[in-house]
Amino acid sequence: MRRQVLLFISILSLRSVFAQVSYSIPEEMAKGSLVGNIAQDLGLDIKRLKLGNARVYSGDSREYIELSSDRGVLLIKERIDREALCGDTTPCAVHFQIVLENPMDNVTVKIMIKDQNDNPPQVLYPVQTGGSLVAEMVPRSADVGYLVTKVVAVDVDSGQNAWLSYKLQKATDRALFEVGLQNGEIRTIRQVTDKDAVKQRLTVIVEDNGQPSRSATVIVNVAVADSFPEVLSEFTDFPHDKEYNDNLTFYLVMALAVVSFLFITCLVVIISVKIYRWRQSRVLYHSSLPVIPYYPPRYSDTLGTGTLPHVYNYEVCRTTDSRKSDCKFGRAGSQNVLIMDPSSTGTMQRLQSEKSILDEPDSPLEVRNVLHPTCSP
């Protein structure tokens, strides 16, 4: 009796109210999307959610749903992928509880996840390899309905989104092969003859039943031959990876264009520099500007009338054996006088013309104002 009384008192004090509500949403809903108005569906006041410190409890599982106490609604907390959550399990649902305090209430929420056609079919056979070539052999004696191969594909979606259909998109000879719509079997529809080409290329498209539908494409190589050496000789020139070859050609052309551009640019720059230096040398060679000698500061004016106002004489004495001297004078003058013009700033004028140097072996020579002697060893 005492235990019954205590249990009754506990139930009255907790005033627990157990309820259950269900929703159904599609997978891959964006974060923050509305799931349902839990306050309206349970007849709860928004103040009750706030004062009761309402929260979502999902146990050890991942929380995909969150509760907005200010609005009383359930929102998507994290994008739900049905295939990652449930796999092949049908139906797929998320279970959690909303717990309130003062008094304590416990609401069970069940959210059904509807599958969306978000995955294309995956081809399992024939295996699509990048570099190697796989071909199915058909003997030339094959009859009508001969099973060449079977295309195998799966779709990870569920329900009608996983229903697959097979269609022959392209073929070297459409009158020779057909593809089963539901099973993906490739069979001959007429007798194989000697006129049929050895190399046969079939393109099969696999579509699911979703809205909108998704598809995958598979290429099946068929060899119509009776012996394996015949197949090898015919299939050696099959293009293994045309897209790869096209990309490689494009990159090679681009590299060649860049190298050619850099080479031409460097060549133009070198030629331009050579022409510029050649023109500069020609301008200096043909220039008629007078040469103004520079005199060091130690030749200062002793009369106090300015810099270089009077004549400077230089004497060169040669012996009787002066023809054997190593010193040569290109230009000389007997009286080359340099005078500073008071009316201008730094203009030097030559007052007397130059005279040639007497070149007599037995007589001394006196030269004045010899400009720019050059000596060679």
Side-chain angles (χ1 to χ4, degrees):
M1 179 65 68
R2 181 176 297 178
R3 291 180 180 178
Q4 293 178 354
V5 172
L6 290 176
L7 179 61
F8 179 73
I9 294 174
S10 299
I11 294 175
L12 290 179
S13 61
L14 292 175
R15 295 177 58 188
S16 299
V17 178
F18 296 95
Q20 183 174 354
V21 62
S22 299
Y23 299 98
S24 179
I25 61 172
E27 65 171 332
E28 301 294 343
M29 290 183 65
K31 182 178 179 181
S33 300
L34 177 64
V35 175
N37 193 327
I38 189 69
Q40 181 179 354
D41 295 337
L42 294 177
L44 298 177
D45 190 4
I46 300 297
K47 294 182 180 179
R48 174 73 179 95
L49 296 176
K50 293 182 178 180
L51 297 177
N53 191 20
R55 62 186 183 274
V56 174
Y57 175 76
S58 59
D60 297 334
S61 61
R62 197 171 180 178
E63 291 188 3
Y64 294 96
I65 308 298
E66 62 181 355
L67 173 65
S68 176
S69 301
D70 297 334
R71 299 167 54 191
V73 296
L74 295 175
L75 304 175
I76 297 293
K77 183 178 180 181
E78 187 175 347
R79 189 184 295 269
I80 301 175
D81 185 0
R82 183 199 173 282
E83 289 73 31
L85 180 63
C86 299
D88 297 334
T89 303
T90 303
C92 182
V94 175
H95 301 270
F96 60 91
Q97 294 179 345
I98 296 179
V99 180
L100 294 90
E101 300 175 356
N102 300 323
M104 180 172 289
D105 291 335
N106 192 343
V107 180
T108 301
V109 181
K110 178 182 179 181
I111 299 179
M112 303 295 299
I113 309 299
K114 297 186 296 183
D115 181 62
Q116 298 294 307
N117 192 28
D118 56 342
N119 295 288
Q122 299 177 2
V123 178
L124 302 180
Y125 185 84
V127 179
Q128 301 296 291
T129 58
S132 60
L133 179 64
V134 178
E136 304 291 340
M137 288 189 61
V138 177
R140 293 191 179 274
S141 60
D143 296 329
V144 178
Y146 178 84
L147 178 61
V148 178
T149 186
K150 181 178 180 179
V151 178
V152 181
V154 295
D155 196 321
V156 296
D157 293 325
S158 63
Q160 65 178 6
N161 294 330
W163 298 351
L164 301 178
S165 60
Y166 303 85
K167 298 177 182 179
L168 183 60
Q169 188 180 35
K170 295 179 182 180
T172 304
D173 188 357
R174 278 186 171 272
L176 184 58
F177 301 101
E178 67 175 358
V179 180
L181 181 62
Q182 302 298 331
N183 53 22
E185 293 180 351
I186 300 177
R187 295 180 178 272
T188 58
I189 57 178
R190 65 170 176 82
Q191 182 72 35
V192 179
T193 64
D194 295 336
K195 296 181 180 180
D196 293 326
V198 177
K199 294 183 296 184
Q200 299 286 337
R201 188 182 182 91
L202 309 179
T203 303
V204 179
I205 183 170
V206 184
E207 293 182 343
D208 59 22
N209 198 35
Q211 295 296 329
S213 63
R214 293 177 176 269
S215 63
T217 303
V218 58
I219 296 176
V220 181
N221 298 307
V222 180
V224 181
D226 293 327
S227 61
F228 189 71
E230 184 181 357
V231 175
L232 287 179
S233 62
E234 292 292 337
F235 275 77
T236 50
D237 58 343
F238 242 136
H240 297 299
D241 197 344
K242 185 176 183 300
E243 183 179 357
Y244 173 78
N245 292 334
D246 293 342
N247 292 336
L248 181 60
T249 303
F250 173 75
Y251 293 141
L252 289 176
V253 171
M254 288 296 296
L256 180 61
V258 171
V259 171
S260 301
F261 174 76
L262 294 177
F263 174 75
I264 294 174
T265 303
C266 295
L267 191 62
V268 170
V269 170
I270 293 174
I271 294 176
S272 301
V273 171
K274 292 289 185 181
I275 294 176
Y276 174 76
R277 291 180 177 178
W278 179 78
R279 293 186 62 182
Q280 289 293 106
S281 62
R282 296 287 294 177
V283 169
L284 295 176
Y285 180 77
H286 293 286
S287 176
S288 59
L289 297 176
V291 179
I292 302 176
Y294 169 76
Y295 296 94
R298 65 176 177 269
Y299 298 103
S300 59
D301 183 19
T302 57
L303 300 178
T305 58
T307 304
L308 301 177
H310 48 271
V311 177
Y312 290 87
N313 297 327
Y314 301 90
E315 294 183 356
V316 178
C317 298
R318 302 175 64 182
T319 63
T320 57
D321 196 13
S322 61
R323 287 184 181 273
K324 298 181 181 179
S325 176
D326 292 335
C327 189
K328 299 179 181 180
F329 298 90
R331 299 176 60 185
S334 59
Q335 289 182 348
N336 291 337
V337 182
L338 298 176
I339 300 178
M340 177 67 68
D341 188 0
S343 63
S344 62
T345 58
T347 303
M348 306 298 292
Q349 298 180 352
R350 180 168 296 180
L351 299 180
Q352 296 183 3
S353 60
E354 298 180 352
K355 297 180 180 179
S356 60
I357 302 174
L358 297 177
D359 191 8
E360 296 182 0
D362 299 329
S363 62
L365 175 64
E366 181 178 335
V367 182
R368 296 182 179 180
N369 296 346
V370 178
L371 300 181
H372 302 290
T374 58
C375 297
S376 60

